[in-house]
Amino acid sequence: TMVDPNGSESSATYFILIGLPGLEKAQFWLAFPLCSLYLIAVLGNLTVICIVRTEHRLHEPMYIFLCMLSGLDILISTSSMPRMMAVFWFNSTTIQFDACLLQMFAIHSLSGMESTVLLAMAFDRYVAICHPLRHATVLTLPRVTKIGMAAVVRGTSLMAPLPIFIKRLPFCRSNILSHSYCLHQDVMKLACADIRVNIIYGLIVIISAIGLDSLLISLSYLLILKTVLGLTREAQAKAFGTCVSHVCAVFIFYVPFIGLSMVHRFGKRHDSLLPVIMANTYLLVPPVLNPIVYGVKTKEIRQRILRLFHVNTHTSDP
């Protein structure tokens, strides 16, 4: 329990995942389309990884970064969706404190890694378009591997203090979370102590990761746009074509993330359905849409997928 008979503070041993507030009766059926989207996300991203791995001509920085993005999308959705399905289908609402902490750490650190990979992809497009002659020497395969490792180190190190900041908090009000999984913003609001340290830490992480990355991505595309405007019409179309997929991936990831952060920080109602829907969107929509966007907009991947389904592609092959 969260409160002892004398009303004094106690440490949390477990939390209750409420699922979808106000839709408890409908969430059993809502779980079916959510589960379908999860399976689509896993299969779609696995398909992208397998295609890039088996096609030697796709062993280039852009596609290797895409594999990293697909792998992270699978991990992010898997860190939350199976547990969410247990809540919706089997009413398994109890989650132990340490399991909640682990899920929270996984979701936030993987999100930080994905932001870093999106920044790396923007840098790849910048070098390829603005300095094409240097692309092969700047983004070598060993360097791309090091960037991937740096993304992992950055994501985990930024979130390393998270378990410490949560474990130091006493919980005496309630142990009912407003989401279907554990988020830092959600858990810290249940504490009956000063949470300013947690709030400041959260702001530092958002500014140093999401804020900095989105700023650098915007800068890279301003430089790309400046270069592209000086090219011929045909070269402009080709350059924009290589960037559209990444721009879509950036918006798909950052818009729900920033929206969710704003709702948690400035929203009035803690039990509102809006942040819950946004939280589910933030973890499920990017993994579903990214392979679709890259499958449609990237010629090499699209042709390989069509060949998998035995569709004639002779007329469109180079």
Side-chain angles (χ1 to χ4, degrees):
T1 59
M2 307 301 292
V3 184
D4 66 19
N6 298 321
S8 60
E9 298 175 358
S10 62
S11 299
T13 56
Y14 66 91
F15 292 106
I16 303 295
L17 300 170
I18 199 170
L20 299 174
L23 296 175
E24 287 82 3
K25 293 182 180 179
Q27 65 188 19
F28 176 85
W29 301 107
L30 290 173
F32 285 97
L34 287 174
C35 185
S36 299
L37 288 173
Y38 169 65
L39 292 175
I40 291 170
V42 172
L43 291 174
N45 285 289
L46 279 176
T47 300
V48 170
I49 292 171
C50 291
I51 288 173
V52 174
R53 184 177 178 182
T54 55
E55 287 282 336
H56 291 290
R57 62 174 177 164
L58 299 183
H59 292 181
E60 299 176 2
M62 181 174 74
Y63 299 108
I64 295 172
F65 285 134
L66 176 57
C67 278
M68 295 179 190
L69 187 70
S70 294
L72 289 170
D73 278 341
I74 292 172
L75 291 174
I76 287 175
S77 57
T78 302
S79 66
S80 60
M81 289 305 298
R83 190 66 186 81
M84 198 185 302
M85 294 303 102
V87 174
F88 291 170
W89 277 334
F90 307 110
N91 200 31
S92 178
T93 57
T94 301
I95 183 170
Q96 295 300 313
F97 180 82
D98 288 337
C100 183
L101 209 60
L102 179 61
Q103 185 183 57
M104 192 191 313
F105 176 80
I107 290 171
H108 289 299
S109 59
L110 288 168
S111 297
M113 294 176 205
E114 182 149 339
S115 180
T116 307
V117 170
L118 287 171
L119 174 59
M121 296 173 81
F123 177 68
D124 169 68
R125 291 299 84 207
Y126 162 73
V127 177
I129 294 171
C130 299
H131 304 283
L133 298 178
R134 297 178 56 194
H135 185 260
T137 56
V138 171
L139 282 162
T140 61
L141 290 181
R143 194 163 289 167
V144 169
T145 304
K146 289 178 182 178
I147 291 173
M149 293 172 64
V152 174
V153 172
R154 184 190 187 211
T156 52
S157 61
L158 280 173
M159 292 301 148
L162 180 62
I164 300 170
F165 287 140
I166 291 295
K167 280 197 169 185
R168 72 178 184 86
L169 294 174
F171 296 89
C172 58
R173 292 172 182 164
S174 171
N175 62 347
I176 301 175
L177 298 173
S178 63
H179 288 307
S180 312
Y181 56 88
C182 295
L183 281 175
H184 178 230
Q185 303 98 311
D186 200 17
V187 173
M188 71 177 183
K189 288 179 181 179
L190 298 181
C192 52
D194 191 348
I195 60 171
R196 279 181 294 183
V197 172
N198 292 69
I199 293 172
I200 293 169
Y201 164 69
L203 286 172
I204 290 172
V205 169
I206 289 176
I207 292 170
S208 61
I210 306 300
L212 179 62
D213 292 352
S214 57
L215 180 65
L216 292 174
I217 290 171
S218 301
L219 178 61
S220 69
Y221 274 104
L222 285 174
L223 295 172
I224 287 171
L225 184 62
K226 182 181 177 182
T227 300
V228 168
L229 291 176
L231 302 175
T232 62
R233 288 284 180 88
E234 185 179 347
Q236 285 179 354
K238 186 177 180 181
F240 281 128
T242 63
C243 294
V244 167
S245 301
H246 179 255
V247 171
C248 290
V250 168
F251 277 101
I252 289 168
F253 175 78
Y254 284 107
V255 171
F257 184 93
I258 294 171
L260 179 62
S261 297
M262 296 291 284
V263 167
H264 268 291
R265 293 186 186 283
F266 304 110
K268 296 295 182 183
R269 290 186 60 196
H270 182 60
D271 60 343
S272 172
L273 190 60
L274 178 62
V276 179
I277 293 173
M278 292 184 70
N280 293 342
T281 301
Y282 150 62
L283 286 185
L284 195 56
V285 170
V288 170
L289 291 184
N290 281 338
I292 295 174
V293 168
Y294 275 94
V296 170
K297 299 302 296 181
T298 307
K299 183 179 180 181
E300 292 81 1
I301 294 177
R302 182 175 67 250
Q303 290 176 349
R304 188 70 176 87
I305 291 173
L306 291 174
R307 285 201 295 272
L308 283 174
F309 290 97
H310 305 292
V311 177
N312 188 358
T313 60
H314 291 302
T315 55
S316 60
D317 283 345

